[in-house]
Amino acid sequence: MQKIKVWDGFIRSFHWLLVIAIATLYFSAEEGMMELHFVAGYFTLALLLTRLAWGVVGSQTAKLSALLHSPIAALKSFTQTDNKPGHSAAGSYMVLVFFALLLTQLVSGLMTTDDILTDGPLVEYASNQVVEWAGWVHHNNFDLLFYAIILHVVAIVIYRLKGKKLVKAMVTGYADKEDCGSDVKVTKSPWLAVIIFVLLLAGLMMTWGAEPLSYLFS
Ligand code: HEM
Ligand code: HEM
């Protein structure tokens, strides 16, 4: 069967690194390993900011504009397969929800304190009331993120039962031509995304990340 490349190397790396980062963030918080939590948090921030930039300058299937669909199109995509490369209309809503939840989790984390030793880097600029509120958001938004992940995995399993091999495409980058109904090139080389990511990561690790990194490696 003829294959079409639908996901570029950056989108695929973004996805699977995000899964590893969220697992690390959860376990480090549970185990009280705050230095690891902060370093993983800055890594995730660099990853998400690069994904959003790639949504402007990146591949056709990565574009943020390709994620905008009417609610009617989203409802229709449950019953009809739209056979286009990229996220379905309903899937696009899920992706936007993930971006919003992840941004909320990251920004609230920057203003959260564990009331013992570790403060997010923006705590010193915020009032006590804002820090308390950010901690509440950081705790409760994680629950929403957790439910969104469960729903996401259940949806992927349902698509698989209906015959769509979405995970294989997110691993290899390629989907069956009959599932995407197009052989126009929709992906770009990921190098620009890699450069943006490395610059953002270096900037974050040399500033906010310097202290937790020195703890981790001392
Ligand atoms: C921490 C857990 C997870 C998070 C936060 C997450 C988040 C996301 C996001 C944000 C996207 C959109 C990718 C983009 O356009 O940038 C996506 C797509 C996707 N994810 Fe996940 N994901 C998670 C776990 C998983 C797991 C465990 C699987 C495998 C079962 C999976 C399979 C997929 C697939 C196949 C797509 C592409 C869907 C499509 O073709 O429209 N994800 N995920
Ligand atoms: C997507 C990124 C993140 C995820 C998924 C995440 C997840 C979590 C979770 C699950 C907890 C435990 C919450 C609780 O049960 O009260 C937590 C605590 C915490 N997080 Fe994050 N976090 C993220 C990013 C960040 C960032 C960027 C920072 C700061 C640089 C941060 C700082 C903290 C602090 C200080 C706590 C301790 C709060 C307490 O002890 O009450 N987090 N985080």
Side-chain angles (χ1 to χ4, degrees):
M1 186 174 297
Q2 211 185 332
K3 303 271 183 199
I4 305 293
K5 187 157 188 195
V6 288
W7 303 118
D8 62 64
F10 171 70
I11 291 290
R12 287 178 285 138
S13 313
F14 162 77
H15 184 266
W16 299 113
L17 288 172
L18 182 66
V19 174
I20 296 170
I22 303 245
T24 308
L25 282 155
Y26 174 73
F27 285 111
S28 56
E30 288 298 299
E31 298 298 321
M33 297 161 77
M34 276 296 135
E35 285 77 26
L36 179 60
H37 191 76
F38 277 33
V39 170
Y42 302 140
F43 179 88
T44 312
L45 184 59
L47 204 57
L48 186 65
L49 292 178
T50 311
R51 173 63 184 93
L52 296 177
W54 197 235
V56 180
V57 297
S59 303
Q60 199 178 308
T61 47
K63 284 264 159 57
L64 295 177
S65 56
L67 296 173
L68 304 176
H69 300 274
S70 71
I72 295 177
L75 286 176
K76 272 193 189 155
S77 72
F78 285 115
T79 48
Q80 307 163 2
T81 34
D82 43 5
N83 283 0
K84 276 200 290 254
H87 299 297
S88 68
S92 299
Y93 275 89
M94 181 88 243
V95 178
L96 290 173
V97 165
F98 267 132
F99 290 167
L101 290 174
L102 288 167
L103 270 179
T104 307
Q105 192 68 18
L106 286 161
V107 173
S108 62
L110 298 176
M111 287 183 271
T112 294
T113 172
D114 68 352
D115 290 323
I116 314 170
L117 282 174
T118 23
D119 287 348
L122 298 184
V123 166
E124 59 178 306
Y125 306 105
S127 67
N128 286 347
Q129 222 178 355
V130 169
V131 171
E132 205 176 303
W133 179 75
W136 182 88
V137 170
H138 202 64
H139 177 82
N140 289 291
N141 184 68
F142 185 77
D143 292 348
L144 297 181
L145 183 60
F146 179 75
Y147 296 134
I149 293 169
I150 304 277
L151 189 67
H152 174 59
V153 174
V154 169
I156 304 282
V157 171
I158 293 175
Y159 272 111
R160 181 66 190 86
L161 296 176
K162 286 164 78 179
K164 272 207 163 187
K165 296 178 186 152
L166 300 179
V167 177
K168 196 170 167 202
M170 202 31 107
V171 172
T172 62
Y174 287 87
D176 293 344
K177 189 179 170 189
E178 67 170 34
D179 278 345
C180 35
S182 157
D183 48 12
V184 179
K185 191 167 170 16
V186 288
T187 56
K188 280 186 185 171
S189 158
W191 284 109
L192 180 58
V194 173
I195 293 169
I196 297 172
F197 175 67
V198 169
L199 290 176
L200 282 171
L201 187 66
L204 283 166
M205 292 305 173
M206 284 190 298
T207 52
W208 292 342
E211 207 182 313
L213 269 177
S214 70
Y215 267 106
L216 280 180
F217 290 102
S218 64

